[in-house]
Amino acid sequence: MTDVDPRPAAPAPEGLVIVEGGPIRLELLPAVGGRLHRLRVFGQDLLRTPADLAEHVRDPFFWGGYVMTPWCNRIAAGSTAVGDELVDLESNFPDGTAIHGQVYDVPWQVRDDGTLWVRGGGAGWPWPYETTIRASIADRVLTIEQTLTNLGAGPMPGGLGIHPWFRRPLEVRIPAARVLTSNSDPDAPIEPVSGYLDLRDLRRMPDDLDAAWLDPGEPAVEAVWPDLGIRVAIRARSQAGVHIVAASPAWLDAIAVEPQTHLPQGLRRHLRGESGGLHLIEPGGTMRLVIEMTFARLSERDPG
């Protein structure tokens, strides 16, 4: 018998949308960016989840797991010409950048099949778009599918990603040979992994790391919660490519491990024709990012 729950996602008290099956229960919060509020596996909370839902509004960047689009991570605030269009963004982060897109804290809608969706654009981003997120569970696999559709009349550069804060302590493996050494430094180099940036073996992530790993292997990430006896294999796929951003602020009781379709400074990279830039979406076109998380107990065989 498989751990499948055939029931569709349904609204729950406090405005949550619940998706559950077998040992997995996911709670999403449409009112605040369609974000992942809680992820419980084998009865254990794996995300940094606030006791009060309003904390997601007060501090939208450091709880749960939120959608990043139409760009991920940092791009430059201010005016940037993109063909005949002008991107003119305000900073929303203390370092002066425009970070994590436009939809991480806005209200989303819920369709009958449990898909969460919102339309965005404006506020300095000249292209209208629609983005969705849908979660499903089969056996011990949580699948999260994101889409970004260009509703404008011309091509739109875009990106997709999700930003989960996983509770510490945990050990992480990212099987990638190249790394962008700093997400906050716009001039940081891409180098072969070495030293503390080499996460090809499972280990505790060093504190205050904030970097991006290019073209990870299969699976893209493995993580273990030793105290909880749980492990996960994370796979990700997109026609735009996949990179893994990770951050481990020493002051926080969680680390971020973020599958996304481009590197930080994705707009600049796109304009320069560099690898890791935003993906060009034609009018009416849709890009997708599919993330699969396969869970197992440490006492069981490899989660696959």
Side-chain angles (χ1 to χ4, degrees), residues 70 102-103 119-129:
Q102 294 185 310
V103 300
R119 290 191 172 182
W125 186 260
W127 302 276
Y129 58 86

Side-chain angles (χ1 to χ4, degrees), residues 85-291:
E85 303 289 354
L86 184 68
V87 175
D88 191 7
L89 301 170
E90 294 185 2
S91 171
N92 60 344
F93 206 64
D95 65 4
T97 63
I99 197 168
H100 297 332
Q102 294 185 310
V103 300
Y104 55 82
D105 63 350
V106 301
W108 289 45
Q109 304 296 314
V110 184
R111 293 181 177 139
D112 290 343
D113 67 353
T115 299
L116 281 61
W117 66 278
V118 69
R119 290 191 172 182
W125 186 260
W127 302 276
Y129 58 86
E130 179 176 291
T131 189
T132 70
I133 182 171
R134 188 173 190 275
S136 60
I137 297 168
D139 297 326
R140 298 180 180 186
V141 181
L142 169 63
T143 299
I144 297 173
E145 181 174 3
Q146 299 173 247
T147 71
L148 174 62
T149 299
N150 178 9
L151 301 180
M156 177 184 78
L160 281 168
I162 198 160
H163 194 307
W165 285 107
F166 290 119
R167 292 176 56 199
R168 299 198 206 212
L170 89 154
E171 299 170 356
V172 175
R173 175 176 180 264
I174 304 174
R178 294 185 299 154
V179 63
L180 177 70
T181 58
S182 171
N183 294 326
S184 58
D185 178 359
D187 298 315
I190 294 173
E191 299 179 349
V193 297
S194 63
Y196 70 96
L197 292 172
D198 187 351
L199 297 180
R200 289 176 292 183
D201 294 323
L202 189 70
R203 64 187 180 96
R204 296 282 180 94
M205 188 178 295
D207 281 343
D208 293 325
L209 185 132
D210 190 4
W213 284 260
L214 286 69
D215 306 317
E218 178 69 16
V221 178
E222 294 177 271
V224 168
W225 288 264
D227 295 353
L228 303 180
I230 296 172
R231 58 184 170 179
V232 65
I234 302 176
R235 293 172 171 81
R237 62 184 185 273
S238 170
Q239 74 267 42
V242 171
H243 307 291
I244 302 295
V245 165
S248 56
W251 58 270
L252 198 64
D253 59 351
I255 67 171
V257 181
E258 313 157 38
Q260 55 192 57
T261 60
H262 63 90
L263 297 174
Q265 299 298 334
L267 182 59
R268 185 189 71 177
R269 294 177 191 278
H270 165 72
L271 292 173
R272 293 181 178 180
E274 299 173 358
S275 63
L278 294 180
H279 180 71
L280 198 64
I281 308 171
E282 295 299 326
T286 298
M287 68 178 297
R288 287 178 171 80
L289 173 63
V290 179
I291 300 164

